[in-house]
Amino acid sequence: MKLDIRYFAWLRERVGTAAEQVETEAATVADLIAELRARDEGYAYAFSDTGAIRAAVDHELVEFDAALSGAREVAFFPPMTGG
Amino acid sequence: MKLDIRYFAWLRERVGTAAEQVETEAATVADLIAELRARDEGYAYAFSDTGAIRAAVDHELVEFDAALSGAREVAFFPPMTGG
Amino acid sequence: MPAPVRVQQAPFDMGAELNAFAATVPGAGAVVSFSGITRDLADGTLEVMEIEHYPGMTEAALSAIRDEAIARFGLTDAMILHRYGPLKAADPIMMVATAARHRADAFAGAEFLMDYLKSRAPFWKKEVTAKGAAWVAARDEDEDALARWSRGG
Amino acid sequence: MPAPVRVQQAPFDMGAELNAFAATVPGAGAVVSFSGITRDLADGTLEVMEIEHYPGMTEAALSAIRDEAIARFGLTDAMILHRYGPLKAADPIMMVATAARHRADAFAGAEFLMDYLKSRAPFWKKEVTAKGAAWVAARDEDEDALARWSRGG
């Protein structure tokens, strides 16, 4: 399936792009992270501390075991600091 | 000693005056209440439920056992309802 | 700069008060305001809400409550404004505002001000309808609300 | 009437926002506002605070938080406004306001909104000085503050 991926804050800076489209068969967010991390050193570094990363699927915060079936957009970012 | 006494809210309405000056030897607020209550039926009624009455001496909330020596103004009123 | 404690009969503009307060709190990251508004009776018959107070004691009590809140929560600043006299439904009655570096202190300071002001500042409300007038009774909840500030300092 | 959830780059006037909000909450006796203000660094060197957000998700998250607060505390109404883009020290960043019949719900609703918004709305802050830029780290206290809302319902 095709997935739009978006990156924010220091995760965006580390992977070097704000958005990309990937072709993937990842079943869960965790699977997708493993795929991305295997790409190159930049991605491996960006995703090295998954405790400091949050994920959203189609604008909804999810845990890493969330399924990707039917998903259109996945986003990765550090813990939020609004307010 | 001479004391200015002030009444507020329904206590004022029941005693029928907002302020008066009294000559008293009352040692405490409780003594003063006893003196006032003994005056007439209106005062007796006004001070019948002392649990519903608060007192201030010289603008400071006090308990009924507070001493009156040196006091200039004593005020009686129901529980406050500001805000 | 308006005085930090005001007791007045005149109406006030809560937005203008908030802006004036927020303009004078350098270094604060959090500003909280509370505004109390005259509520109509359940059956919509309120003609006037009369607010009586004790001139002299009122100002002293509000100043003491403000000083205590600033010291206790390390507030950058705090203000209290309270009206008296005849009010109509939907009229603003009073307002407090607090400023602090962080939000927890600004919120706690404002709640502390309100809890003390409700039960310790000499104001009394009387609801007047076509059928007569009745003094508003103090609520047990308001007295209970004070108790939380003596726990744990 | 302004939209109850707004995400914008433009500055806002917190006093005007408070007045506009308070004008539309009939029956409420209590209105609480919280305004967040950009704080300078301890050594006064902040040049810009950059706020990044996730368009689309931000609005959805804020709307969901607002709906939850209204339902949970029986609020008359609630509003949330949050800026993004480059801000300077002392610039207002964001604001929430709540209205309820009684003060306890208005305060709790505003604190709930702030606690959720801090850790659950997709905003990220970056502090820029002459020496470089640093992303603001999430504070453990902010995550802890969320926990209180799951106790006791």
Side-chain angles (χ1 to χ4, degrees), chain C residues 53-75:
Chain C
H53 81 116
Y54 183 175
M57 176 169 171
T58 311
E59 292 78 358
L62 296 182
S63 288
I65 292 168
R66 173 176 173 270
D67 290 348
E68 170 74 13
I70 290 174
R72 193 158 177 156
F73 301 100
L75 302 180

Side-chain angles (χ1 to χ4, degrees), chain A residues 9 12-13 73 77-78 81 83, chain D residues 52 54 123-126 135:
Chain A
R12 169 177 53 70
E13 294 176 341
E73 182 170 296
F77 39 79
T81 54
Chain D
E52 180 171 339
Y54 183 175
F123 291 99
W124 301 275
K125 294 192 183 110
K126 187 186 208 171
W135 291 96

Side-chain angles (χ1 to χ4, degrees), chain A residues 12-80:
Chain A
R12 169 177 53 70
E13 294 176 341
R14 289 183 190 177
V15 301
T17 185
E20 63 182 321
Q21 196 171 59
V22 300
E23 179 67 44
T24 177
E25 296 309 317
T28 67
V29 171
D31 292 345
L32 180 61
I33 291 175
E35 272 184 24
L36 292 168
R37 198 193 268 142
R39 271 196 188 168
D40 66 29
E41 278 184 12
Y43 280 86
Y45 169 56
F47 283 97
S48 56
D49 177 10
T50 48
I53 293 174
R54 303 288 177 266
V57 173
D58 294 333
H59 293 171
E60 192 124 347
L61 272 181
V62 296
E63 302 293 326
F64 289 175
D65 61 1
L68 292 180
S69 65
R72 286 171 306 175
E73 182 170 296
V74 178
F76 295 106
F77 39 79
M80 294 158 272

Side-chain angles (χ1 to χ4, degrees), chain C residues 9 20 22 37 56-57 69 77 83 87 92-93 96-97 103 129 135 137 151 153:
Chain C
Q9 182 154 6
I37 296 165
M57 176 169 171
D77 200 359
R83 295 179 68 188
L87 300 176
I93 302 175
V96 305
R103 75 186 187 285
T129 68
W135 291 97
R151 286 198 303 268

Side-chain angles (χ1 to χ4, degrees), chain D residues 37-103:
Chain D
I37 296 166
T38 310
R39 281 192 301 128
D40 204 338
L41 297 170
D43 58 2
T45 57
L46 184 75
E47 296 195 340
V48 172
M49 170 87 85
E50 279 280 355
I51 300 187
E52 180 171 339
H53 81 117
Y54 183 175
M57 179 171 168
T58 310
E59 293 78 359
L62 296 182
S63 288
I65 292 168
R66 174 177 173 269
D67 290 347
E68 172 73 14
I70 289 174
R72 194 158 177 156
F73 301 99
L75 302 179
T76 311
D77 201 359
M79 69 82 96
I80 305 176
L81 189 166
H82 206 300
R83 295 178 67 187
Y84 60 89
L87 300 177
K88 300 278 186 189
D91 282 351
I93 302 175
M94 53 75 60
M95 175 171 182
V96 305
T98 56
R101 285 179 64 78
H102 297 292
R103 75 185 187 285

